[in-house]
Amino acid sequence: MEVFGGLLYGLQVTMDPTNLAFCFLGVFFGTLVGVLPGLGPAAAIALLLPATYKLPALPAIIMLAGIFYGAMYGGSTTSILVNIPGEASSVVTALDGYQMALAGRAGAALGISAVGSFIAGTFSIIILSVTAPALARIALMFGPPEFFSIIFVGLIVVTYLARGSLVKALIMALLGLFLSQVGMDIVSGRYRFTFGMLTLSDGIDMVPMVMGLFGISEILLNLERETKKEIVVTEFKDLFPTWVEWKRSIGAILRGTFVGFILGLLPGGGTIIASFVSYGIEKRVSKHPEKFGTGMIEGVAGPESANNAATGGCFVPLLSLGIPSNAMMALFFAALLIHGIQPTPFLISEKPDLFWGVICSMYIGNVMLLVLNLPLIPLWVQVLRVPYRILFPLIFLFCLAGAYTVNNSISDILIMIFFGVFGYMLRKMEYEPAPLIMAFVLGRLMEKEFRRSLAISNGSFSIFFDRPIAAVFIIAALILLFSSFMFYYRHYGKKSESLLDRE
Amino acid sequence: MRKSDLITGLIWLILSALIIVNAFELELGGLSAPGPGMLPMLTSVPMGLLSLLLISEAIFAGRNKQVAKTIWQRDIRWRRMVSIVFSLIVYALLLEKLGYLLCTFLLMTFLFKGDKSQKWLKSCILSVVSVLISYAVFASLLRCQLPEGILENVLGGIVR
């Protein structure tokens, strides 16, 4: 089967010492980032994007991917031990995981978490290796309207799922679209919104912007107050769940894998929603739902498996269609572009070394993580003890040097600082940056497909509805949008609380 | 009335108006041959409408005394944050003049020093260590080009 051939080829490519080294670096750094609260995988990937410039594409993507799924492993460690989720998709793990730790079962929670993550990660990669090539073949029949509609629906779903007000999230997405229009218009050659500034003539550089919005603004948020947290770490002896706990968890792990992969794959989905949904499912299928929150191991096994399975699922649309399904994948999309690779359905056939190499590196990375995670837990605990006032200058240093090296230009640093402050203000005023980033990264592509579609149809919008696949996506997105607005206005008369919070 | 929403709403409204004006200048083109101004227009019109929505909700929705989350709380360390951002900007502006090593050293010492909690010596040492390691990683390992300045020339001279 084509898949086998591909996997063997990929293994061969991955076994190169450089690629292995970068895989290790990625998963190690990813776990570290997952452990440290306040620095999520998105920020870390944004920070390391410039560092990968001089590297060839394959090790760069391998390392960045390693950071991504590595962070899923690392985040659970602190959720369980210290009740501080290292990153968003480990929030649910803390609910029952920490309770288990308090009851002396931290080791079991950590063990189940690691094994579940490994099983889910491996399964999702297997499914990825099969579905992506198949989907790519289907996508060869896609035209501009289909691509536009997929991007459109992904953007709408990400916006819909953003925390807080839908109106604000939509404004963020539109702002992102606008920012993507700054620079030279490829079709006409005219400069848009550059105000004569040379720096802007190529458009706003993605990397400083992302580093500012995710990295700098995050630090600024953390700097608001002096944190004198005393990290109290629960003790644990062994890392093995009991046989009973294993039996209970297997179902959760399998369910989590399934749910996680699908939610990673769907436009707008991702690791965070996967973990939340998995928790909800475990609670529903459990014979003792009321016990959730007191230390149910299914509440750890399910979400931890789901978030790792989602990492595999996330890559499917990107590698097969060339369209990122969520904000995190938008960063990978950007990374591919930076390395001169156009993500399209032809990616798999034109660059098999990249595709199969990345997939195999994910298998190997998961193995490394399983081996790494558990023995290194004392190290991670020590890392947690480093005070933030020593950490944040180092993160700044990384950002500043990184931003400079993008183009050897100070204006990139200034752009980064600008977006850092801007991002900070946005978050303070309850605006989510995720739709902005996704819209910004996808803006040019979306515009291209849109204009092409109109050119084909001679200006008629019906082209988006005549073609079945495009129609389905666009109608789904519009239904989602309108139903949300209807929901608002039904409440307008009844509730007098602010409509802007949907929570 | 949620002030922050009102203010941001107005900002988005003004922004969308500016974009629309610019979009016309850029030529919209027809639907069958969209010009450079088409998509900015399609972006800014919804933005304008949504900002109007935001503004109206900001004015009318906060009627009952909802616990207005004061965004700008008292215990936020404003001065520290502003000084840090300022130091970053100064760093950027001086980077190419002073060179990476010196400029970064100064910045890091400032950042590590913090409010009053750290001692000068400890900050300096941490600063030197981090600058040297970062230089090794970025300049040698990743082969990025960092601005040369006073210290680089001095050290370069010594090394050679």
Side-chain angles (χ1 to χ4, degrees), chain A residues 86-108:
Chain A
E87 46 96 31
S89 62
S90 305
V91 165
V92 258
T93 312
L95 292 173
D96 281 84
Y98 185 61
Q99 295 301 317
M100 283 181 72
L102 289 177
R105 301 297 297 147

Side-chain angles (χ1 to χ4, degrees), chain A residues 209-226:
Chain A
M209 180 207 234
V210 171
M211 287 171 84
L213 277 177
F214 280 131
I216 305 274
S217 70
E218 189 72 49
I219 303 179
L220 288 176
L221 274 171
N222 287 326
L223 282 178
E224 280 180 341
R225 294 176 185 81
E226 190 88 38

